[in-house]
Amino acid sequence: MIRQYVFLVSQADKQPIPNFWAYRLYAWMLEQVRPSYGEQLHIEGETPISQYLYFNRDLQQNLWTVSLLNDQMIEIFGPVLDQLHTIQLHGLCLSVVLQHVREETISNLVGCEKGISNNRRTRLYFAAPTAFKSDGRYGIFPQERWLLQSMVKKWNQVCPNMPLEDADALILLEKGLHIVDYSLRTVRYSLKGTKIPAFVGNIVMESRLSAPLQEIWQLLVALAPYSGIGIKTTLGMGGVFSESTQSEKIT
């Protein structure tokens, strides 16, 4: 089971909240549960939580999206988020209003993907600073290979019972996907004294895939708004939504 929360978060002066405060919010979440849970997540490395802050300029509102990516995370953090109204953070009191909660199952994602498999163009919106890392360097442009590798890795982490491991299929997926349009800008994400180079904006992906591979691609796209894309999605980076989810984010 996946559960996603979207909150409206505001300061008393109603000013935009920096997106790197998402890391502070994650640290606050850990403080609300037993220390043993935080230690366990640290040991396991890949945390099944994705979260980010996004300032909606049209509505002049800060949106905090938190996705709990398995039943254990729902059991641990769900009670904290279900009762959330204010957050004391670095001497400030943040007002928190729940906008909506969505629950999703992997079986439902697998079933729903067939209804959109003929859509050959997908627009991905990178709402939070997004980056990749390859050969020890940060990548600040969403190359097709990096995108696909990240999305497959996220799928295998969230869905270990349905892994995507066919190397030949992944090669064909990469060959059949192309970025055909983009509107991006570079940004920096402040994290523990380091400013990580990243990007925000949107891209259009065009697929030229056989029907079975197109279904796999649509599965990856369906999961991305929950899992995020790229590095450090637990710490506030990589928040993304697709064309089919955009209206829910900005209304």
Side-chain angles (χ1 to χ4, degrees):
M1 176 73 74
I2 296 172
R3 183 184 296 173
Q4 184 179 77
Y5 296 81
V6 178
F7 298 98
L8 300 179
V9 183
S10 60
Q11 305 182 73
D13 59 8
K14 305 301 181 182
Q15 291 299 305
I17 300 174
N19 53 35
F20 67 85
W21 279 29
Y23 173 68
R24 300 179 180 180
L25 290 171
Y26 175 64
W28 176 88
M29 285 175 58
L30 292 180
E31 292 172 356
Q32 309 311 304
V33 300
R34 283 188 285 176
S36 59
Y37 290 144
E39 294 171 2
Q40 177 184 347
L41 293 175
H42 180 72
I43 292 172
E44 291 177 353
E46 295 292 346
T47 306
I49 296 174
S50 173
Q51 58 89 30
Y52 66 96
L53 271 171
Y54 165 59
F55 182 69
N56 185 306
R57 296 187 181 279
D58 294 333
L59 300 178
Q60 293 294 296
Q61 292 177 324
N62 304 285
L63 300 178
W64 182 34
T65 300
V66 184
S67 297
L68 308 177
L69 301 175
N70 63 27
D71 292 339
Q72 183 185 25
M73 294 301 100
I74 293 172
E75 181 180 352
I76 294 172
F77 293 100
V80 175
L81 299 176
D82 288 337
Q83 303 176 33
L84 190 54
H85 299 289
T86 60
I87 295 176
Q88 300 294 329
L89 195 66
H90 290 250
L92 296 175
C93 181
L94 302 181
S95 173
V96 182
V97 178
L98 180 63
Q99 187 178 40
H100 69 253
V101 180
R102 174 184 290 109
E103 290 193 338
E104 190 64 89
T105 64
I106 300 306
S107 60
N108 189 52
L109 288 179
V110 171
C112 289
E113 132 278 337
K114 297 182 183 299
I116 56 175
S117 60
N118 289 327
N119 183 10
R120 294 293 174 171
R121 288 200 171 195
T122 303
R123 189 179 298 272
L124 296 175
Y125 296 82
F126 299 94
T130 304
F132 306 92
K133 201 164 188 180
S134 178
D135 297 325
R137 300 182 63 181
Y138 292 110
I140 58 172
F141 185 82
Q143 297 181 26
E144 292 90 348
R145 173 175 294 183
W146 291 347
L147 274 168
L148 183 60
Q149 287 177 344
S150 175
M151 294 169 81
V152 169
K153 181 180 179 181
K154 301 291 185 186
W155 176 271
N156 290 341
Q157 290 167 354
V158 176
C159 314
N161 295 327
M162 300 176 59
L164 300 176
E165 298 178 328
D166 187 326
D168 293 335
L170 297 180
I171 290 173
L172 292 174
L173 269 172
E174 182 184 335
K175 289 182 177 180
L177 294 170
H178 302 282
I179 298 172
V180 295
D181 197 7
Y182 64 87
S183 177
L184 302 168
R185 62 185 177 89
T186 55
V187 294
R188 296 292 185 271
Y189 188 76
S190 298
L191 183 64
K192 300 179 181 180
T194 300
K195 292 188 176 181
I196 298 174
F199 61 88
V200 294
N202 69 83
I203 63 172
V204 176
M205 296 287 293
E206 183 176 72
S207 60
R208 290 285 181 256
L209 299 165
S210 65
L213 291 177
Q214 179 68 11
E215 290 182 359
I216 293 175
W217 168 238
Q218 292 296 346
L219 279 177
L220 298 175
V221 171
L223 182 66
Y226 301 102
S227 66
I229 292 177
I231 62 173
K232 303 186 185 303
T233 52
T234 299
L235 304 183
M237 297 185 69
V240 62
F241 48 95
S242 66
E243 189 78 66
S244 60
T245 62
Q246 182 201 15
S247 61
E248 297 174 4
K249 293 289 183 180
I250 64 176
T251 58

